[in-house]
Amino acid sequence: MKLRNVNIRILGTGISNICQACVSIYDSCGNLVYEGLTCNGCISIELKMYKGYIIIIKSYAGVRKEIFYVDTCTTCYAFRAYEVNRPEEDLVTFLLTDLNYENLPIQKGEIILWQNQ
Amino acid sequence: MAKSVTITNGSGTVELINDTYAVTAEVPGYDNSTINPDSVTVAEGTNTYAFTISANGTLTLHVTEEGTAQGAPIEGATFVRTDADGNEFGSPVTSDDQGNAVLANVPYDANNAPTIYFKQTASDGEHEFDNTVQNTTLTAQTATVEIANPEGAERTITLTDANYENLPINSGTLTFTN
């Protein structure tokens, strides 16, 4: 099977947008094919072409797992070290009472909230 | 995307991000189109939002001495809607000369109607009444419940001379006012 030299770059949130990380790469059978620290956020490695791999990135931002495929076109694969921020959810209380009997609580039911897409 | 909030005894909680939501309701016995407001903006710093909903059933409380449809009607008996614990809600209603007191805008449903609680707070001054919390459910939009207010029990009143023990007073009138 033909090998291809690929560069893997780990992206951070700093000014230089690189992130030092410990990188582990597994093939599709779960075999560890590489493990090491990045240099300036990057590693360079030979991998088999037309194969899928799992990369696990451990950094200050936590642990992330991604999947990538080695093809003939791509020489540099970039992965974020951090989760994209999701809006925080707060615990919200809804009160439901009878319009015609002030403050009389509704015994049971559902309120459905439809978010604008 | 939709999120459902289960309401139990007037309240429910859910995790939400700040945004504007359209609101619909599924409340057995009530007119879901009357949910108010029908949209809500969940904003930073505010975590409680209040809604109301309306029903359009009618419960008639028919008050007679015997508690039957053909019984002697009682005018002036008052009732109020309550919760299961007897806490009062809304304005009291009073029976008319036909003995009918009407609780309007109450929930009804053929299969899953919520329980309606109420209690009698007064009769006409000449009849007894049960002041405990009563309950019923409406499976149709209108319903009548028969309420008995029997005549007061016969009592024996004695009047004797305070200074001559057990000496009965020959004649006179005692007036009892409630």
Side-chain angles (χ1 to χ4, degrees), chain A residues 92-93 101 107 110-111 113 117, chain B residues 1 3-5 47 104 115:
Chain A
V92 180
T93 298
Y101 295 86
Q107 293 168 28
E110 301 277 328
I111 291 178
L113 304 162
Q117 295 297 321
Chain B
M1 189 178 77
K3 268 206 171 178
S4 179
V5 186
N47 291 334
T115 304

Side-chain angles (χ1 to χ4, degrees), chain A residues 54-57 63-67 79-80:
Chain A
I54 296 169
I55 180 169
I56 296 177
I57 306 158
V63 180
R64 290 209 67 210
K65 180 177 163 182
E66 298 278 2
I67 298 172
F79 301 98
R80 287 195 187 90

Side-chain angles (χ1 to χ4, degrees), chain A:
Chain A
M1 180 72 63
K2 199 169 178 181
L3 298 176
R4 182 174 179 82
N5 193 64
V6 298
N7 294 314
I8 292 176
R9 185 178 175 191
I10 307 302
L11 303 176
T13 58
I15 295 173
S16 59
N17 201 28
I18 59 170
C19 176
Q20 300 291 47
C22 175
V23 172
S24 305
I25 299 175
Y26 297 83
D27 65 16
S28 57
C29 296
N31 301 313
L32 181 67
V33 298
Y34 174 86
E35 187 165 58
L37 296 174
T38 57
C39 179
N40 288 327
C42 296
I43 63 170
S44 182
I45 181 176
E46 276 194 337
L47 296 173
K48 292 178 183 175
M49 287 178 62
Y50 312 118
K51 291 288 184 183
Y53 293 89
I54 296 169
I55 180 169
I56 296 177
I57 306 158
K58 297 177 185 175
S59 70
Y60 71 92
V63 180
R64 290 209 67 210
K65 180 177 163 182
E66 298 278 2
I67 298 172
F68 67 100
Y69 180 83
V70 177
D71 57 25
T72 59
C73 307
T74 309
T75 58
C76 183
Y77 297 84
F79 301 98
R80 287 195 187 90
Y82 56 94
E83 284 278 356
V84 176
N85 281 339
R86 295 191 310 166
E88 278 192 22
E89 291 184 330
D90 288 327
L91 193 63
V92 180
T93 298
F94 290 86
L95 307 177
L96 184 59
T97 57
D98 192 308
L99 173 68
N100 299 291
Y101 295 86
E102 189 175 3
N103 295 325
L104 176 64
I106 298 302
Q107 293 168 28
K108 59 182 178 180
E110 301 277 328
I111 291 178
I112 299 96
L113 304 162
W114 304 87
Q115 192 173 9
N116 295 328
Q117 295 297 321

Side-chain angles (χ1 to χ4, degrees), chain B residues 45-123:
Chain B
T46 302
N47 291 334
T48 301
Y49 298 86
F51 296 80
T52 61
I53 195 167
S54 180
N56 51 26
T58 301
L59 173 62
T60 299
L61 304 173
H62 184 225
V63 191
T64 62
E65 280 189 2
E66 301 83 355
T68 64
Q70 296 78 30
I74 307 289
E75 181 179 2
T78 60
F79 297 82
V80 66
R81 195 163 167 201
T82 71
D83 59 14
D85 296 325
N87 299 307
E88 300 179 8
F89 297 89
S91 302
V93 295
T94 304
S95 61
D96 59 17
D97 60 359
Q98 302 297 308
N100 293 322
V102 177
L103 286 173
N105 297 111
V106 295
Y108 71 96
D109 190 270
N111 300 306
N112 202 17
T115 304
I116 299 166
Y117 299 93
F118 61 92
K119 66 181 179 184
Q120 185 169 356
T121 54
S123 189

Side-chain angles (χ1 to χ4, degrees), chain B residues 1-16:
Chain B
M1 189 178 77
K3 268 206 171 178
S4 179
V5 186
T6 299
I7 299 294
T8 303
N9 198 29
S11 72
T13 58
V14 69
E15 287 190 335
L16 287 177

